[in-house]
Amino acid sequence: MAKYIFVTGGVTSSLGKGIIAASLAKLLQARGLNVTIQKFDPYINVDPGTLNPYEHGECYVTDDGAETDLDLGHYERFLSIPTSQSNNVTTGRIYQTVINKEREGAYLGKTVQVVPHITDEIKRRMLMLGKKGYDIVITELGGTVGDIESLPFIEAVRQLQWELPEEDCMVVHLTLVPYLKAAKELKTKPTQHSVKMLSQEGVHPDIIVCRTEEPLSPEIRRKIALFCNVKIEAVIEAMDAATIYEVPLLMMREKLDLICLKKLNIVNYHEPELNRWKEFLDKLKYPKSKVNIGLIGKYIELQDAYKSILEAFVHAGAMNECKVNVVNVHSEFITEENVMEKLGALDGLLVAPGFGHRGVEGKITAVKYAREHGLPFFGICLGMQMSVIEFARNVLGMKNAHSTEMNPDTNEAVIDLMEEQKEVTAKGGTMRLGSYPCDIKKDTLANRIYGTEHIRERHRHRWEFNNKYLEQFEAAGMVASGRNTESGLVEIVEIPVHPFFIGVQYHPELKSTVEHPQPLFVNFIKASREYAEKKQSSKTQILEEELS
Ligand code: GLN
């Protein structure tokens, strides 16, 4: 039988509930327990797949092809175990299930209501992963206590607190303890109010995690404990950390994991085994070199739009003991005239995924610069497609080469819609999604990087390399080094004469974790570091020659 920990949030959004949930899960996993995390989101979209990054940040894709909340990315990066469709549930999905059942006649004769029908469906899904052999299922509730949308979820937790044995269920509430500069004081009132609101909805937290910029004094802890009806050791300080990967260690110092184990009456655990985690943190904190990597995209002002890519850089940087300084370059403003000025100081170039035609010409110009200057290049999904278009236009001389996504009428559609996509009109969940097998050609860059000829990576796109042109590309020096095992679709392209030029149709960033950094990222950073070193040594040589 699994035990359940619910993580709620109060006062404001963006307090880092996902990171706290993932950190707690990491600690419990490090103590030998089998843990998973799921997220319940209160919005009405069935999944976040149709939301644009301005609304919701990155859309994270699981092996089984679910388009999910980006917090699932944190869960995988921390735990190194894959999540699935079951790990992310929205209000939309709950209602869709209940309404479909109603249409099928499952409730014949009954009025279908929020309580019990919607809350029953929420509870069913909350308990579902518990039947898959996990010791602990952590459930993060999206939104903030007091939101109208989150009421049915809080109500479901209230019911479960009664229905499950007391030692099988607990609630961790995350709040903010703001520091008022003028008063030089931490303020507990917002926390008191949010716990009060949660209590009014019938849920009493067992632990209060306080996000704070300043350490919590014993008096503040006592005050929160007193007003919020928890034990003083259950008031946990969550100070701002230099990196999210330090949070598990901060939580361990506060004994968050031990308090949970005690409440859940779990006695079978050992000292946390976090050697690899700590090794990673050491490498991250004390890098021996630095590279400047250009991230060419159109959502550069948004931290969350390229979340998994940025985190994969952190993992790969640590692996190389190298600090990765990501330079955001807005693709819309890159032109032939300014490309040197914008990209000249970089040591590597990653052209980002994306949709729609805004900014693509800038991406193509950036690829051209990297190809012609021997600058390490890594294209992901749309970034790979842009590298194909650039090669077609500037090497193969196909002046009209384009993707039919941006130019449906082009007579040189080197990137085209897949046959099975041509009839698709609905937008939700209809892309090529999830994990697909890929065969890698021997003795290619991809083969050297992966060290194998068979891989599986995750996809999220509709367009593909048009195999009609493959022979022409290969004859001119762009090789398809990875192809889908069944369909032969091109998944990886590379240019062997270039020091490091690789484009992938899939999203390798989704599988990079702290303990298993993604090999393409690791090797891209390595190549960029070598490029930087070469640049530096040729600068030194010129200087020495000038001085002698
Ligand atoms: N828009 C492109 C496609 O759908 C690329 C998608 C992506 O970068 N994820 O094929």
Side-chain angles (χ1 to χ4, degrees):
M1 263 301 282
K3 300 194 180 238
Y4 297 88
I5 302 176
F6 295 95
V7 181
T8 58
V11 183
T12 164
S13 57
S14 305
L15 286 183
K17 244 185 312 178
I19 302 296
I20 294 292
S23 299
L24 173 58
K26 182 75 217 167
L27 292 176
L28 296 169
Q29 184 191 55
R31 287 184 179 278
L33 294 152
N34 194 0
V35 191
T36 189
I37 321 180
Q38 55 185 354
K39 173 138 194 219
F40 280 62
D41 276 311
Y43 51 76
I44 297 175
N45 304 62
V46 171
D47 62 41
T50 54
L51 292 172
N52 90 32
Y54 288 102
E55 292 274 327
H56 198 263
E58 166 189 278
C59 175
Y60 188 79
V61 180
T62 56
D63 279 335
D64 62 350
E67 297 182 285
T68 71
D69 185 77
L70 56 79
D71 271 335
L72 269 76
H74 290 309
Y75 306 163
E76 289 204 15
R77 287 187 280 274
F78 276 56
L79 297 182
S80 277
I81 55 167
T83 53
S84 69
Q85 177 68 76
S86 320
N87 296 71
N88 193 197
V89 178
T90 66
T91 294
R93 197 171 288 278
I94 300 277
Y95 271 80
Q96 194 181 46
T97 310
V98 172
I99 292 171
N100 286 345
K101 269 170 78 179
E102 186 273 335
R103 292 290 80 187
E104 285 160 15
Y107 309 107
L108 270 191
K110 287 265 176 280
T111 309
V112 181
Q113 293 179 302
V114 173
V115 183
H117 302 102
I118 294 297
T119 47
D120 278 353
E121 179 57 20
I122 295 175
K123 285 193 292 180
R124 187 182 73 81
R125 290 189 184 254
M126 280 175 169
L127 300 179
M128 205 147 74
L129 285 176
K131 299 193 177 84
K132 299 216 168 135
Y134 293 105
D135 302 315
I136 298 180
V137 178
I138 299 181
T139 303
E140 179 194 344
L141 296 190
T144 310
V145 168
D147 295 348
I148 293 175
E149 290 91 341
S150 35
L151 272 174
F153 295 95
I154 303 281
E155 169 60 16
V157 174
R158 185 193 71 78
Q159 293 178 20
L160 284 177
Q161 269 188 322
W162 280 102
E163 290 164 15
L164 294 171
E166 214 183 313
E167 59 183 38
D168 284 358
C169 173
M170 65 180 294
V171 176
V172 176
H173 187 59
L174 176 65
T175 72
L176 176 70
V177 178
Y179 180 75
L180 287 196
K181 266 202 200 114
K184 292 201 179 64
E185 253 185 321
L186 285 171
K187 290 295 182 190
T188 65
K189 199 71 86 190
T191 296
Q192 293 178 40
H193 281 303
S194 98
V195 172
K196 199 164 152 191
M197 188 135 30
L198 190 58
S199 303
Q200 274 165 1
E201 291 170 15
V203 172
H204 186 70
D206 299 283
I207 295 179
I208 297 177
V209 178
C210 306
R211 263 306 285 275
T212 170
E213 286 171 40
E214 295 290 324
L216 300 182
S217 64
E219 298 91 274
I220 292 277
R221 287 183 196 246
R222 248 193 305 275
K223 197 168 167 187
I224 295 173
L226 177 70
F227 282 105
C228 301
N229 228 358
V230 296
K231 297 218 172 78
I232 186 156
E233 59 271 22
V235 178
I236 304 283
E237 168 190 291
M239 288 273 285
D240 295 352
T243 140
I244 54 170
Y245 300 109
E246 249 182 66
V247 180
L249 301 185
L250 296 181
M251 290 302 104
M252 186 164 73
R253 224 174 293 153
E254 288 285 303
K255 302 194 171 60
L256 175 63
D257 50 339
L258 290 176
I259 301 168
C260 291
L261 290 166
K262 192 169 160 203
K263 164 71 177 80
L264 299 174
N265 199 19
I266 295 174
V267 286
N268 215 354
Y269 58 85
H270 52 67
E271 283 302 301
E273 209 286 278
L274 287 165
N275 291 343
R276 279 180 80 181
W277 193 272
K278 287 180 183 161
E279 216 175 279
F280 157 80
L281 270 180
D282 273 346
K283 286 187 183 162
L284 187 64
K285 272 199 237 159
Y286 308 108
K288 297 189 177 127
S289 54
K290 182 183 156 187
V291 287
N292 294 311
I293 302 293
L295 174 60
I296 319 295
K298 63 175 175 181
Y299 303 114
I300 55 161
E301 66 283 30
L302 296 175
Q303 279 240 353
D304 282 349
Y306 303 115
K307 194 80 203 160
S308 294
I309 290 178
L310 296 177
E311 297 306 325
F313 276 144
V314 175
H315 310 152
M319 196 72 175
N320 281 287
E321 297 182 68
C322 173
K323 173 159 176 48
V324 180
N325 178 40
V326 177
V327 182
N328 294 314
V329 187
H330 204 307
S331 54
E332 240 185 311
F333 307 118
I334 302 175
T335 61
E336 282 285 350
E337 290 68 44
N338 67 21
V339 65
M340 182 72 179
E341 177 200 330
K342 283 195 187 280
L343 311 183
L346 299 171
D347 308 313
L349 207 66
L350 186 144
V351 178
F355 294 84
H357 101 293
R358 186 165 71 93
V360 298
E361 290 305 323
K363 284 186 173 173
I364 294 170
T365 308
V367 180
K368 178 166 183 265
Y369 178 87
R371 183 178 57 76
E372 290 180 344
H373 290 79
L375 180 65
F377 167 82
F378 187 8
I380 297 184
C381 210
L382 185 71
M384 172 267 201
Q385 297 175 353
M386 294 303 114
S387 75
V388 168
I389 295 170
E390 191 280 322
F391 195 86
R393 286 188 191 171
N394 300 319
V395 179
L396 296 172
M398 299 162 67
K399 291 294 163 228
N400 300 324
H402 221 316
S403 162
T404 49
E405 178 180 5
M406 289 86 198
N407 179 2
D409 303 321
T410 178
N411 58 352
E412 291 171 322
V414 289
I415 302 293
D416 202 2
L417 207 53
M418 284 176 278
E419 231 13 81
E420 58 268 37
Q421 280 287 339
K422 290 190 175 152
E423 307 301 316
V424 174
T425 49
K427 293 281 182 251
T430 56
M431 281 188 243
R432 181 180 176 205
L433 288 167
S435 173
Y436 284 89
C438 167
D439 292 339
I440 294 180
K441 222 188 236 169
K442 261 200 183 132
D443 303 323
T444 56
L445 177 62
N447 186 209
R448 283 191 294 281
I449 290 176
Y450 278 100
T452 168
E453 285 163 51
H454 305 284
I455 56 161
R456 289 194 79 97
E457 292 280 5
R458 297 183 197 166
H459 291 247
R460 183 176 189 251
H461 57 102
R462 292 185 205 278
W463 276 266
E464 298 281 352
F465 183 98
N466 186 345
N467 274 336
K468 194 170 99 183
Y469 296 100
L470 184 55
E471 237 173 75
Q472 246 174 296
F473 272 79
E474 295 210 316
M478 180 177 260
V479 173
S481 55
R483 298 182 69 179
N484 181 281
T485 311
E486 285 126 35
S487 62
L489 287 170
V490 173
E491 314 285 38
I492 313 176
V493 294
E494 56 186 74
I495 299 179
V497 295
H498 189 284
F500 189 102
F501 190 105
I502 197 158
V504 295
Q505 184 57 83
Y506 49 83
H507 289 267
E509 72 276 20
L510 301 176
K511 279 174 69 170
S512 188
T513 75
V514 166
E515 282 149 338
H516 302 283
Q518 211 285 341
L520 288 168
F521 278 86
V522 175
N523 281 276
F524 172 58
I525 296 303
K526 184 166 167 265
S528 304
R529 204 188 58 207
E530 285 161 6
Y531 180 90
E533 279 161 10
K534 223 187 262 163
K535 210 165 60 178
Q536 189 54 40
S537 75
S538 65
K539 258 192 216 157
T540 321
Q541 207 178 337
I542 293 170
L543 200 65
E544 277 168 5
E545 276 164 18
E546 275 173 11
L547 290 173
S548 65

